[in-house]
Amino acid sequence: MAKPDILLMGPPASTNMIPLLEDDFTVHRYWEAEDKPELLRTLAPNLRYVATTGHQGPDANVIQALPNLELIASFGVGYDGIDVDAARAAGIRVTNTPDVLNDCMAEITLGLMLSLVRDLPQADRYVREGRWAHANYPMQDELSGRTAGILGLGRIGKEIARRLQAFRMQVVYHGRNRQPYEPYPFYSSLKEMAEACDWLIVIAPGSDSTRHLVNAEILRSLGRDGWLVNVGRGSLVDEDALVAALQNKQIRGAALDVFENEPNPHPGLLSLENVVLSPHAGSATNRTRDRMAETVAKNLKAHLRGDPLPNAVV
Ligand code: A2R
């Protein structure tokens, strides 16, 4: 029996994604099609499945062009690049891959913090360039004893908090809701949390309601001794305001894995010494990316069997 079709929106972020899909489906590569509307027209009568990542779509136009679509299985926990409202309106289910990336995301967060507070990228260059022989590298700060405020104490935020405690930091958090069973102090006001903490760690989803939550006012509240880390989505931070705050030393530094315009971060960031930049690589380890691909496949297989979807967001 012929395998059902699946439309893969963009290049997969894991080498085992396509082999896993090919177990059950005939895979069509949307991003490689020269005439994309024609591909959609050809597939439309039978196409029931789309595989994607959180930033590859499909948008409302693609969703409307596929009247028999049943499931959009996305790779990644954030799904802000998929038009979930259009999917919901059309009765299409959407799944993501939560939890399997929590450890990996927490590790890169601590890695970025240590890199920033101890100048590790700059210190590495200092040694390579032979400057150590002329003078010792300047003194650094440390994480111990400092307060970290987490914007978004969700699945990933909680794993970050666990590791921050191992580094002897105090943890506080902000979200829309207090979480009564969490031991950390809650701030209903992001501004008040920014005033109270040394580190502001952003790990909330990208959405209309979170866009530019971290703006000039929040950065001023974080203050001259404050550090910003963004491992959530670039859209949460007003990058113009961030560059201005970094240039004017209104905050001490920033470590960023995500940007408003990927893969082209604000040019102002590239010339600053008080930043550490990472190419949206938070979940980019072999183990985690394999587990994310397996989770995409698990959701598709559940749908094929008529079982409940393990990771439905719509
Ligand atoms: O607001 P709450 O209490 O529902 O807490 C959620 C928080 N959050 C927000 N905080 C402030 N203002 C908002 N408008 C807002 N919207 C959501 O973000 C919750 O604590 C956290 C999200 O946690 P989870 O849904 O468990 O997501 P997970 O797996 O930790 O991933 C977070 C994000 C993804 O959406 C990707 O953008 C990125 O990390 O990889």
Side-chain angles (χ1 to χ4, degrees):
M1 206 172 71
K3 292 177 180 175
D5 295 318
I6 191 165
L7 183 64
L8 183 59
M9 296 300 295
S14 161
T15 47
N16 68 351
M17 188 71 263
I18 290 179
L20 277 170
L21 292 176
E22 284 176 341
D23 283 347
D24 296 301
F25 299 95
T26 301
V27 177
H28 300 272
R29 292 161 171 80
Y30 182 71
W31 77 101
E32 287 181 356
E34 279 183 18
D35 187 344
K36 293 185 170 56
E38 175 57 21
L39 176 67
L40 293 179
R41 270 194 300 277
T42 309
L43 292 175
N46 294 314
L47 191 88
R48 293 186 286 149
Y49 310 101
V50 162
T52 186
T53 69
H55 59 268
Q56 293 170 341
D59 62 15
N61 289 332
V62 172
I63 288 171
Q64 276 154 20
L66 299 170
N68 297 311
L69 192 56
E70 293 175 11
L71 175 63
I72 299 168
S74 185
F75 181 103
V77 61
Y79 47 87
D80 40 313
I82 300 169
D83 194 328
V84 288
D85 292 335
R88 191 180 286 111
I92 297 162
R93 310 297 304 276
V94 180
T95 59
N96 68 346
T97 64
D99 289 318
V100 293
L101 41 59
N102 294 352
D103 289 336
C104 193
M105 290 296 302
E107 286 187 12
I108 198 166
T109 305
L110 266 298
L112 286 170
M113 292 173 73
L114 290 167
S115 297
L116 186 60
V117 78
R118 298 300 294 268
D119 270 6
L120 294 181
Q122 296 89 336
D124 175 272
R125 288 199 294 274
Y126 192 82
V127 175
R128 288 173 199 268
E129 291 164 6
R131 291 153 65 198
W132 185 20
H134 305 290
N136 281 333
Y137 197 80
M139 296 291 176
Q140 305 299 301
D141 209 329
E142 56 192 70
L143 300 180
S144 307
R146 304 292 186 194
T147 299
I150 299 181
L151 164 51
L153 189 72
R155 290 168 293 232
I156 299 170
K158 290 184 179 77
E159 288 302 324
I160 296 172
R162 201 190 294 272
R163 286 157 178 82
L164 295 175
Q165 289 186 300
F167 277 79
R168 300 184 179 280
M169 298 185 78
Q170 274 88 49
V171 176
V172 300
Y173 73 101
H174 165 76
R176 293 163 301 181
N177 307 294
R178 179 191 297 275
Q179 301 183 49
Y181 300 108
E182 293 304 322
Y184 316 110
F186 169 69
Y187 283 84
S188 57
S189 155
L190 176 58
K191 183 172 184 304
E192 284 173 22
M193 184 174 84
E195 282 164 2
C197 65
D198 306 291
W199 289 81
L200 175 57
I201 301 171
V202 179
I203 183 60
S207 70
D208 291 344
S209 69
T210 58
R211 185 168 185 278
H212 287 190
L213 270 183
V214 178
N215 54 24
E217 185 191 22
I218 298 299
L219 293 168
R220 264 196 309 280
S221 303
L222 187 58
R224 291 190 172 279
D225 293 326
W227 313 87
L228 175 75
V229 181
N230 188 5
V231 287
R233 281 289 184 263
S235 60
L236 277 101
V237 176
D238 179 343
E239 238 169 59
D240 286 333
L242 174 62
V243 169
L246 288 163
Q247 285 170 341
N248 300 327
K249 304 264 176 3
Q250 284 173 332
I251 67 168
R252 184 116 171 240
L256 309 168
D257 185 47
V258 289
F259 304 89
E260 282 202 86
N261 181 25
E262 296 178 6
N264 300 300
H266 192 303
L269 291 169
L270 307 181
S271 54
L272 288 166
E273 274 299 308
N274 51 345
V275 297
V276 174
L277 307 174
S278 162
H280 199 151
S283 67
T285 64
N286 288 315
R287 170 178 174 266
T288 290
R289 288 284 169 90
D290 284 354
R291 295 173 80 193
M292 291 165 71
E294 285 157 11
T295 306
V296 171
K298 196 167 70 181
N299 280 280
L300 285 161
K301 282 179 192 294
H303 187 82
L304 286 173
R305 287 193 307 264
D307 288 347
L309 297 173
N311 307 108
V313 295
V314 170

